[in-house]
Structure formats: C-alpha cells, structure tokens
Amino acid sequence: MGRGASEAFAVFRIFLRLGLTCFGGPIAHLGYFREEFVQRRRWLDEKTYADLLALCQFLPGPASSQMGFALGISRSGLAGGLAAWLGFTLPSALALFLFALFSGSFSGPIAEGIIHGLKIVAVAVVAQAVWGMARSLAPDKPRAGIALAAMILVTLAAGAPGQLGAIALGAIGGAVLCRSAVAGSDARLPIPLARAAGLIASAAFFLLLLGLPLAAALVPGWGLGLFDAIYRSGALVFGGGHVVLPLLQAQLVAPGWVSSADFLAGYGAAQAVPGPISPSAPISAPSPRRRIRPFSARFSGSSASSCRAC
C-alpha cells in the first residue's frame, strides 16, 4: 500500500469512528470535528477551521458532510475527501437501511429514552464548541458584535434567508471593522487540488442541476427521477440537515414515491442514528408498475388536481 493510499485509509478509519459516535445532527458534528481535528490531532488551526466552516455554510447542501469532505481533502487530497465522506456517511446509511427492514422493533419508552439522552450529550458538545470558537474567533468587541448580530438574525429569520443574511452581514462587517485584525494573514485554504479540478466540479454541478430534470422527463422509470429529486434537494437548500427535509418531503411524498407516514418514520429514525441525516430511511423504491408523473407535472400539481376534480 502506497503512502497516499495509507493516508486515505487512515482518514477513512478516523471518520468511520466519528460516523459511529457523532450524535446530535449537523451542528453537533461540527463541534465533534473541531475537537477531533483542531484540538486533538491538530490537522489545522482554529482560523483555518473557521474559514472552512464559513465556506461550507456559504455553499448549498449539508454543511457537516461538506466539512468532513474538506477536512479529508486537506489531509490526503481527493482520495482523502472520498474516504472521509464514505467513512462518515456509511454507518448512518446502513443503520437507516436496517431500520427500513426492521422498523417494527425500534419503539417503546426505553428506545426513546436512549435517543433523548444522546441528544442531551450532543447539546453539551455543541455548547463547548461554540464557547471555544467564540473565545478564539471573537476576542474583541467588533468581532463579538458581528457574531451577536448574526446570532440574532438567524434566530429571528430561520431558514435559508436568515443564513444568507448572516453570511452577508459577516462579510460586510468584517470588511468594515476587522481589516486590521486580519492584516497580513494568509487567506489560502489547505486544499491540495488544482484549479482545473474545481472548474470541472463546478461545470458538473450545473450540468447535473440543469440536465437531470430533462433526462428524468425523457427516460422512463423511477430511478433517474429519484436521483434528480435528491440531487436538487441537496443543490438548492442552504444549511442542510433539518433544513432540507421540507424540500425532500415535497420531492418524495407528493409524487407518491413515499407515504407521509413512512417519511415521518424515516425522519424519526434519522434522529436516532449517528452521522449525517440521510434520506435512506424514508425512501422506498416505487413499484415498476406505478406510473411516475413527468417532471413538468410536478410544477403543476394544483392545476392538475383541479382538472381531475372537474
């Protein structure tokens, strides 16, 4: 095994352990990552971690999964990023698949008590991470004021508008108030990838975003349509985690691929397993005999219902 493969496997082992032990959702995962890679292993310093976190919050999709992918890339290139993603995601995906097979066995007060206890522990992890990052990243009044204003904004305006507004507020406030605090610092992130790789990834992102709906409308069957629904849910929602669930529900329940009861059961199971929230549990493959509505019909559901009623 070469050095690159050895490093990637080491990344996989670390993230596999985190995928088996990180309860509490995306915010808690970021706290676990900080404790593991900034404080314990010292793969990167506090400022670099904060820069990566800001980048992941700015991009659409699940922030904690993006952060894990970025940490893996910074350690061992693209192979490390894929290893980190696989190690962190695999346990929850397998656990939710098993839940879908044996859902009748996971109920009762004992199971609910265990889940509630794990969530309480995650709250403590999040609080410790927030306190530690606040002391190092907001040590003076201007930066503490920006953090306080952003907290108020995301509290009052939940969802993507509040998150985007907080990002814009931080950028403007930092440009006005914090230029002297970061003067002379190196703004480059430790991502060992060529610019061409970034351009190819960006082109693939938009190609899939625009091309998948057309392909799903032209190609019969449910597989491509399901992939398109999941891809757009991750590509168009900021914040990830719980924020993406309403869009997932619209994409999966409305076409009849998953019942509302099954979707809610899958969401409940996702709270009980470690690692990132995965759509694996609520998704069940439709029967090949079921007629899937074409892509264009998904945007005219109300009018179609009215016509059928007439």
Side-chain angles (χ1 to χ4, degrees):
M1 182 181 296
R3 180 180 178 183
S6 177
E7 289 182 352
F9 183 70
V11 171
F12 173 78
R13 286 191 294 104
I14 294 169
F15 275 91
L16 180 62
R17 179 176 59 80
L18 290 171
L20 291 167
T21 57
C22 286
F23 289 87
I27 304 301
H29 300 161
L30 298 174
Y32 286 110
F33 288 167
R34 176 181 175 273
E35 180 182 358
E36 180 73 22
F37 300 112
V38 177
Q39 296 182 329
R40 183 183 172 198
R41 298 184 181 274
R42 302 190 183 279
W43 282 11
L44 64 172
D45 57 24
E46 196 77 67
K47 179 185 179 303
T48 304
Y49 183 84
D51 290 342
L52 282 176
L53 177 57
L55 176 62
C56 293
Q57 294 287 359
F58 178 76
L59 297 173
S64 63
S65 297
Q66 292 170 344
M67 188 67 176
F69 189 74
L71 290 169
I73 288 179
S74 68
R75 186 65 178 179
S76 187
L78 183 59
L82 294 174
W85 173 80
L86 181 62
F88 190 58
T89 307
L90 186 61
S92 64
L94 292 177
L96 291 176
F97 179 75
L98 292 175
F99 169 81
L101 294 178
F102 306 104
S103 58
S105 303
F106 300 102
S107 61
I110 296 179
E112 294 177 359
I114 293 174
I115 295 171
H116 186 66
L118 293 172
K119 291 181 178 180
I120 292 175
V121 173
V123 170
V125 173
V126 172
Q128 189 274 338
V130 170
W131 178 250
M133 294 184 70
R135 288 190 300 174
S136 60
L137 298 176
D140 50 35
K141 290 183 179 179
R143 282 178 278 186
I146 294 173
L148 180 61
M151 182 188 70
I152 295 174
L153 180 58
V154 297
T155 301
L156 297 178
Q163 294 172 7
L164 293 175
I167 292 171
L169 174 66
I172 296 172
V176 174
L177 301 174
C178 303
R179 278 183 281 186
S180 60
V182 297
S185 62
D186 184 7
R188 293 180 61 86
L189 296 176
I191 304 299
L193 292 178
R195 184 181 297 272
L199 294 175
I200 292 173
S202 299
F205 171 81
F206 288 106
L207 180 63
L208 290 172
L209 183 63
L210 300 175
L212 279 174
L214 299 176
L218 296 174
V219 179
W222 59 267
L224 197 56
L226 180 61
F227 182 73
D228 169 47
I230 299 298
Y231 184 85
R232 280 186 289 118
S233 297
L236 299 177
V237 173
F238 290 84
H242 307 283
V243 181
V244 77
L245 289 170
L247 182 56
L248 273 178
Q249 186 176 28
Q251 297 289 341
L252 300 177
V253 177
W257 293 344
V258 181
S259 69
S260 181
D262 288 343
F263 186 89
L264 292 176
Y267 173 65
Q271 308 306 304
V273 300
I277 295 177
S278 169
S280 304
I283 295 176
S284 61
S287 169
R289 295 187 298 271
R290 182 182 299 177
R291 183 178 181 269
I292 303 300
R293 293 190 300 164
F295 174 77
S296 58
R298 300 178 202 170
F299 294 93
S300 57
S302 57
S303 60
S305 299
S306 302
C307 292
R308 286 193 296 270
C310 295

